[in-house]
Amino acid sequence: DAGVTQSPTHLIKTRGQQVTLRCSPKSGHDTVSWYQQALGQGPQFIFQYYEEEERQRGNFPDRFSGHQFPNYSSELNVNALLLGDSALYLCASSGRDREYLDTQYFGPGTRLTVL
Amino acid sequence: AQSVTQPDIHITVSEGASLELRCNYSYGATPYLFWYVQSPGQGLQLLLKYFSGDTLVQGIKGFEAEFKRSQSSFNLRKPSVHWSDAAEYFCAVGARRSASKIIFGSGTRLSIRP
C-alpha cells in the first residue's frame, strides 16, 4: 500500500516566479492537507481540501492556492514567490480508516528554495 | 488560542538511558493529541496518538505517552533510547472532528550520546 507521495522532491525558484507542488494521498484517503515547515520550526497549516473544495485555511495569503482532483490528488500553487517562502512543504492525507480514524499521514515533503 | 509548547529545544541523552520529552497544550475542548518524529530531510512519521480512553498510550518504536488533563500535558517517554532515535520530535493537537487541521509545537531535537 503506497503511502502519501509528493513531487518534486526539491525545487529551486527565483523571487516573483510561480510554483506548483503535487501530492497523491494514501490509498483510501479523501482529504488532503498542506503544511509549510520553515527551517527549525514546526509545520504550519496552510489549507485542507475535501471533495475538491477548500474546507479550512490557515493564516496564509491568497498567493497560496490549491486544488483537489476527482482522484483526491492535490496541488499547491504559490504565486509571486518571496524569499520567505523557502521551506519544506508537507502534504498529509486522511480519511475514514477503520482503525486510525481521522489520523493524518504525511508525505516526505518538497523542499522549495527561493533565490 | 490553540497552541502547543515544547519547552526543550534540544536534549542529549546517552544511549540506553531513559527519555522524556515534554509537551503542553492549550485547547478549548478535549483535543486529539499526537507525537510525530522527523528524521533529517524527511517527512513526519506518526509515533502515537490519543483520542480517548486509557490515558497511557503505546506507540511504535517502544515509545509511550501519557495524557494528563489536569496539567494539559502529553509527555513522550521511552525507557531505553537507541542511537537510531536521534531525530526531531513534534507534539501536535487537533480538534475532535473529522480530519481537522493539526497544530504543531516547535519541536525538540534529540541527540544520542554514544
Side-chain angles (χ1 to χ4, degrees), chain A residues 62-88:
Chain A
D62 292 344
R63 298 187 297 109
F64 289 78
S65 63
H67 188 76
Q68 185 178 35
F69 299 94
N71 67 352
Y72 308 121
S73 66
S74 176
E75 288 182 349
L76 164 66
N77 300 291
V78 187
N79 295 321
L81 284 167
L82 304 174
L83 294 180
D85 295 331
S86 295
L88 180 68

Side-chain angles (χ1 to χ4, degrees), chain A residues 1-23:
Chain A
D1 177 21
V4 180
T5 60
Q6 293 186 243
S7 63
T9 305
H10 295 89
L11 206 51
I12 299 175
K13 293 285 188 178
T14 57
R15 281 178 297 175
Q17 285 190 311
Q18 180 264 343
V19 68
T20 297
L21 311 182
R22 295 176 176 82
C23 172

